[in-house]
Amino acid sequence: MSSAALAKRLLDEGDLGEGYARKAEQPGRHDDVTVTGCPAVSELGGDAAAGGSLGFPRRVKVSFTYASSTGSEVSEELYSGTAAELSSGVGRIFEAMTSCSSYRVLAGGTAVSVTAQEVPAPRLGDEQWGQLLTFTAGRRSQVVKQTAVRVGMVVAVVSGSAALVDAHVAKAVAKARVTS
């Protein structure tokens, strides 16, 4: 499926309800990432090691902020490929990221401590994965929940604050599943 076709399946403000605003996309390349303390994550390299995008060529992303609270964000990424490619790739990345309970990432001169744990994902598709990541830099911490669900030849990854991920993952999967 093309990126243009995937883009039609992304969530929009109308899907989320009142109080959500689309967030401008930030450049997301993390080519200068070094991981210590977890060889499996180190092998992922780039964006995946820094909690960013998965390494599939057909990808679209959208991010939103929730206006009624500071720091509440939710993003959705859709990836397309064969079922086998998606299953193997997503499984490998989620397994690597939760294989070590903690590790350090040096990205662009900033040191970040990461703790990771596998969490249950709702049974919404053919396969599903879930993890909770805590990123700590200095005295600031951010907790990010990631839920990935494969439906056929599409994977929907919903990331952000746990409550928002839980509230919107079913809508994201339903919209990703649409065949028309």
Side-chain angles (χ1 to χ4, degrees), residues 96-177:
M97 292 183 73
T98 59
S99 68
C100 303
S101 60
S102 66
Y103 49 92
R104 292 184 54 81
V105 176
L106 182 61
T110 302
V112 180
S113 295
V114 181
T115 58
Q117 69 182 72
E118 186 175 350
V119 295
R123 299 202 174 277
L124 297 170
D126 300 313
E127 292 180 275
Q128 49 279 316
W129 302 265
Q131 63 186 358
L132 198 60
L133 304 167
T134 303
F135 300 93
T136 305
R139 295 182 181 174
R140 297 183 57 128
S141 290
Q142 179 181 11
V143 177
V144 174
K145 183 172 188 177
Q146 286 189 319
T147 300
V149 178
R150 184 181 66 79
V151 287
M153 296 188 334
V154 175
V155 168
V157 181
V158 182
S159 304
S161 66
L164 296 183
V165 170
D166 292 344
H168 299 298
V169 69
K171 291 178 209 162
V173 171
K175 197 164 181 181
R177 180 179 276 139

Side-chain angles (χ1 to χ4, degrees), residues 43-132:
E43 289 175 16
L44 294 176
D47 277 351
S53 70
L54 309 179
F56 298 105
R58 291 174 304 283
R59 163 193 179 263
V60 293
K61 180 178 181 176
V62 65
S63 298
F64 301 92
T65 57
Y66 186 61
S68 73
S69 64
T70 57
S72 290
E73 298 181 6
V74 65
S75 66
E76 176 192 21
E77 294 175 84
L78 295 177
Y79 300 91
S80 177
T82 68
E85 288 172 330
L86 295 172
S87 178
S88 171
V90 176
R92 180 180 59 81
I93 290 168
F94 271 69
E95 184 177 310
M97 292 183 73
T98 59
S99 68
C100 303
S101 60
S102 66
Y103 49 92
R104 292 184 54 81
V105 176
L106 182 61
T110 302
V112 180
S113 295
V114 181
T115 58
Q117 69 182 72
E118 186 175 350
V119 295
R123 299 202 174 277
L124 297 170
D126 300 313
E127 292 180 275
Q128 49 279 316
W129 302 265
Q131 63 186 358
L132 198 60

Side-chain angles (χ1 to χ4, degrees), residues 24-42:
E25 287 300 314
Q26 305 294 326
R29 295 300 314 156
H30 296 287
D31 293 329
D32 59 343
V33 171
T34 304
V35 176
T36 58
C38 189
V41 175
S42 184

